[in-house]
Amino acid sequence: MADRSPSISANDVPHVKRARVDQCSSKSNGESQNIRIFVAGSSSGSGKSTVSLALLGALLRSKLYTADQLAYIKPATQGIQTTLTAKFCKSMGIACQHVGPVVFYRGFTHAFLEGKTPTSAELLASVEREVERISKDKSITIIDGVGYPAVGSVVGCSNAHIAAVTNASVLVVGKEGVGDAIDSFNLCASYFEAQAVPVIGTIINRISSDNYKRTTTYVPKYFAQFRPRQSVFGFVRECEAMQANHDDYAAPGQTNACHVPLRGPANGTETLFGSDVQACNEVEAELCNSLVSVVLDSGDDVIENILHSAREAQSNRGSCTRTMIDGQYE
């Protein structure tokens, strides 16, 4: 019988101070040509898919890339509903897979522990295979995370495992505030860094008017002193556009968990993989444009700085003997 263990090791434990980079994929030194940005969140419903949409739209607006050079995938998910991000990709002609291959159905964890699902290695192999497929001949792939960083760890297929196996750099969609914003970023970053996955920085999302000045004043001060190799790329104000895309955000005190039964729809994988995604209608297209503008206006040269950091992180992954301490390589 195949080993079904999630292979928990010392690297699976989030370290606050140190993560040893002691392994490298054979794809680190150029075999994988495209830039891969993994969009993670400090919590479920933090706005990962909205920021993913905005990044894709910003890349198109920059004129640096055309739609056929971009790809979007959500390789692990807790739901199978069609998202605004998927509709945007359909409208713009961007290669998109917004559901799976890994879907954490209701009861998935129980089934895994009972030996009724694929093994951890098989789950990760399916993710790697689909990311490689959709990234073929693309310049940039946006990989949308699921929930908070440790979601999926019980089956050995957490966000950090996925980012590692797909050779992606991580952008964290963070919370407003000062202490909460910094503490939640450090918790997220340490989990990825424990798997030797580079975290390039954060976009602080949906900042209320009351918190905007404090957040924009003190969070950069912290990064400048304690995480100088990582960046706060943008500060996104709360606005009507963000409120309108309510499907990407959890209600207060709730999470966007999947309530689909374990075996899924009776008609199989076509529905699971969203083959029936429709392009945006006029109202949705206007909302998408607003979301892109909001993120582009959240900081100076947002998209250029994210791409620069992602390229640098990708080139650094070829060094197997470097140590990462608080977001910096020694």
Side-chain angles (χ1 to χ4, degrees):
M1 181 175 178
D3 180 14
R4 303 186 46 78
S5 168
S7 301
I8 301 298
S9 68
N11 279 345
D12 291 298
V13 181
H15 300 298
V16 174
K17 293 295 291 182
R18 183 179 298 265
R20 180 71 186 177
V21 183
D22 55 6
Q23 295 183 18
C24 283
S25 166
S26 61
K27 298 173 184 175
S28 297
N29 292 316
E31 189 177 314
S32 179
Q33 296 296 319
N34 76 326
I35 298 171
R36 297 176 184 178
I37 301 173
F38 188 100
V39 181
S42 59
S43 62
S44 177
S46 61
K48 296 179 291 294
S49 295
T50 297
V51 170
S52 296
L53 183 160
L55 291 177
L56 292 165
L59 288 165
L60 292 177
R61 282 196 196 177
S62 72
K63 306 296 184 184
L64 297 173
Y65 301 93
T66 57
D68 61 359
Q69 293 176 287
L70 306 177
Y72 167 83
I73 183 169
K74 192 174 181 74
T77 183
Q78 293 175 304
I80 61 172
Q81 70 277 11
T82 299
T83 63
L84 183 63
T85 307
K87 292 182 177 182
F88 176 77
C89 290
K90 178 76 171 183
S91 299
M92 305 307 296
I94 297 170
C96 171
Q97 181 173 319
H98 76 286
V99 178
V102 177
V103 179
F104 296 127
Y105 294 112
R106 186 181 70 222
F108 188 91
T109 298
H110 296 170
F112 175 85
L113 295 174
E114 292 171 354
K116 297 177 180 178
T117 71
T119 65
S120 301
E122 289 168 342
L123 291 171
L124 287 174
S126 70
V127 167
E128 183 179 18
R129 184 167 55 250
E130 288 304 312
V131 171
E132 290 294 332
R133 178 192 61 78
I134 204 166
S135 300
K136 184 176 174 58
D137 299 325
K138 306 298 182 186
S139 297
I140 298 177
T141 301
I142 302 297
I143 304 173
D144 194 349
V146 54
Y148 48 89
V151 165
S153 63
V154 66
V155 301
C157 191
S158 71
N159 287 273
H161 288 102
I162 290 173
V165 78
T166 58
N167 293 296
S169 305
V170 175
L171 172 68
V172 176
V173 180
K175 301 178 179 179
E176 66 174 354
V178 180
D180 197 19
I182 293 167
D183 291 346
S184 61
F185 175 85
N186 285 334
L187 183 62
C188 292
S190 64
Y191 192 83
F192 284 101
E193 289 166 355
Q195 293 286 344
V197 175
V199 178
I200 60 175
T202 185
I203 288 179
I204 307 296
N205 194 26
R206 297 189 72 176
I207 309 171
S208 63
S209 298
D210 291 343
N211 274 325
Y212 191 80
K213 185 174 181 179
R214 286 187 300 150
T215 304
T216 56
T217 298
Y218 291 104
V219 172
K221 287 180 182 293
Y222 172 83
F223 273 76
Q225 293 181 59
F226 300 105
R227 285 189 175 266
R229 297 291 183 87
Q230 294 163 319
S231 301
V232 184
F233 296 107
F235 297 93
V236 180
R237 293 178 180 269
E238 178 66 288
C239 61
E240 291 183 3
M242 287 294 178
Q243 294 170 355
N245 190 24
H246 54 81
D247 286 344
D248 193 27
Y249 297 96
Q254 299 181 19
T255 60
N256 289 340
C258 182
H259 299 293
V260 179
L262 173 63
R263 287 185 172 78
N267 56 346
T269 59
E270 279 197 347
T271 300
L272 292 184
F273 282 83
S275 60
D276 58 345
V277 173
Q278 302 296 312
C280 292
N281 59 36
E282 187 174 340
V283 173
E284 291 168 335
E286 184 176 345
L287 174 57
C288 289
N289 285 328
S290 297
L291 292 170
V292 174
S293 296
V294 166
V295 172
L296 279 175
D297 293 341
S298 68
D300 296 331
D301 302 320
V302 175
I303 198 66
E304 292 86 353
N305 288 332
I306 290 174
L307 288 178
H308 174 78
S309 294
R311 287 193 188 98
E312 185 178 60
Q314 186 164 305
S315 66
N316 285 338
R317 292 186 81 140
S319 300
C320 300
T321 60
R322 287 144 67 84
T323 299
M324 182 179 283
I325 301 177
D326 285 346
Q328 300 181 59
Y329 287 104
E330 279 194 335

